[in-house]
Amino acid sequence: MNAIYSVKEIYIYPIKSLAGISLASAKAEEMGFENDRRWMLIDAENQMLTQREHRIMSQFYPQISNGKISITFQDQKHEFSTDESLEDAIEVNVWDDKSQVVEVNLETSKWFSLHLGFECKLVKILKNGARKHESSRLKETFNVSLADGYPYLLIGSKSLDFLNEKLDEKITIKRFRPNIVVSTENPHEEDDFKTFAIGGVQFKNIKPCGRCVMVNNDPENGRLKKEPLKTLSKYRNVDNSVLFGTNIVSLNSGIISVGDEVIF
């Protein structure tokens, strides 16, 4: 493998299932990039909320600046500090994993409840180890954030190019909510990456990522479409799972940047 493998794009998603933020560089940590999916919305029964059931969540746009997160929804805006939280711990489930979280503040929960149209809370995972995810494939346990499973999702550029060749309406990489997009030579070769380094950070590939109907939610307008899952299922269906991108973990901390070479 040669130097054509480099980082093209970096994304974080501070609040699970809300819109992402494109970055020039990011700090890699065990739980994922700094500020990536450390927050999550839960309903009145403390169940997690995602775009799978509430597509409008894609229309909430976060930004981070000077220790504050601002959220824009339509013509409304709300802001809270990245370090604020209430004291009482709440136990929530992220799929099969239990996690300890705390509510950010009452005002922020009220703002989201108003705009989503039902009672909800914004919660935060406070520390490394508050949620553990076990890999049945590797028989290993990882400290993770509030992401669906693993801390990082990596996608190769040729995988999207190959898919778009088959689609009448072209899509962007945002449909797949990656953390790292790398330039590649062949479609889906990232599935077979083993260990590699970016900017001094060592990464380990865990397994290709099975995709759900959420990739059919157009992030530009929150509308549910038939693609790309329909087309992907014709050539990327493995053991009843439609694969696109691969789940990875970091083995140490450090800064990675757009343009960094991927070293194998």
Side-chain angles (χ1 to χ4, degrees):
M1 295 183 177
N2 57 43
I4 72 134
Y5 296 86
S6 61
V7 177
K8 291 186 66 177
E9 299 172 77
I10 295 172
Y11 294 93
I12 63 170
Y13 309 86
I15 302 175
K16 182 180 181 67
S17 240
L18 269 56
I21 302 173
S22 174
L23 298 176
S25 62
K27 182 182 179 182
E29 301 173 336
E30 182 182 9
M31 292 172 67
F33 283 133
E34 182 180 25
N35 292 322
D36 182 45
R37 287 166 295 197
R38 301 301 199 270
W39 293 266
M40 178 174 75
L41 288 162
I42 60 174
D43 65 16
E45 283 74 46
N46 294 341
Q47 300 299 307
M48 70 175 184
L49 301 174
T50 76
Q51 285 185 39
R52 295 170 183 85
E53 297 80 24
H54 307 283
R55 296 193 299 275
I56 197 172
M57 290 174 69
S58 66
Q59 304 305 292
F60 288 78
Y61 297 91
Q63 289 296 328
I64 301 180
S65 179
N66 299 319
K68 292 182 180 292
I69 297 182
S70 62
I71 310 291
T72 302
F73 174 69
Q74 297 174 354
D75 60 347
Q76 301 296 311
K77 197 168 185 175
H78 180 77
E79 187 177 80
F80 60 92
S81 296
T82 57
D83 60 356
E84 69 179 295
S85 64
L86 303 181
E87 292 184 1
D88 293 339
I90 303 170
E91 185 174 88
V92 298
N93 289 329
V94 180
W95 300 114
D96 294 331
D97 304 332
K98 293 189 182 301
S99 178
Q100 294 292 321
V101 297
V102 290
E103 188 172 3
V104 171
N105 64 54
L106 298 178
E107 182 183 355
T108 296
S109 295
K110 183 178 179 180
W111 187 84
F112 276 106
S113 298
L114 174 66
H115 293 293
L116 286 172
F118 54 86
E119 183 182 346
C120 62
K121 297 175 184 176
L122 183 70
V123 297
K124 178 183 180 182
I125 188 168
L126 282 183
K127 61 183 180 180
N128 198 25
R131 177 189 169 208
K132 297 181 180 296
H133 180 73
E134 182 179 355
S135 167
S136 57
R137 179 180 178 182
L138 297 179
K139 306 302 181 187
E140 289 185 52
T141 300
F142 300 95
N143 293 321
V144 297
S145 66
L146 299 170
D148 273 359
Y150 295 94
Y152 300 90
L153 176 68
L154 180 143
I155 297 177
S157 59
K158 288 298 183 182
S159 302
L160 180 66
D161 294 344
F162 187 68
L163 171 60
N164 269 329
E165 289 173 5
K166 303 175 183 300
L167 297 177
D168 293 330
E169 183 181 345
K170 310 307 178 191
I171 62 174
T172 71
I173 202 70
K174 290 182 179 180
R175 286 289 190 100
F176 298 98
R177 298 174 68 83
N179 293 111
I180 305 170
V181 182
V182 299
S183 56
T184 48
E185 289 186 308
N186 302 298
H188 306 295
E189 61 183 302
E190 62 270 21
D191 291 2
D192 299 316
F193 289 179
K194 291 185 170 45
T195 58
F196 55 94
I198 302 173
V201 180
Q202 297 287 327
F203 291 95
K204 178 180 178 179
N205 191 9
I206 302 300
K207 69 179 185 67
C209 182
R211 311 312 299 236
C212 69
V213 71
M214 192 165 148
V215 300
N216 286 349
N217 188 23
D218 188 341
E220 299 302 318
N221 50 38
R223 294 175 186 159
L224 187 66
K225 301 187 175 182
K226 293 182 179 179
E227 297 287 10
L229 205 56
K230 180 180 177 182
T231 294
L232 274 175
S233 65
K234 295 176 181 177
Y235 72 98
R236 290 291 292 169
N237 195 322
V238 179
D239 296 330
N240 294 316
S241 184
V242 179
L243 306 179
F244 197 93
T246 195
N247 295 296
I248 64 176
V249 296
S250 64
L251 304 179
N252 63 300
S253 298
I255 304 295
I256 80 166
S257 301
V258 171
D260 282 350
E261 185 178 349
V262 181
I263 309 293
F264 296 93

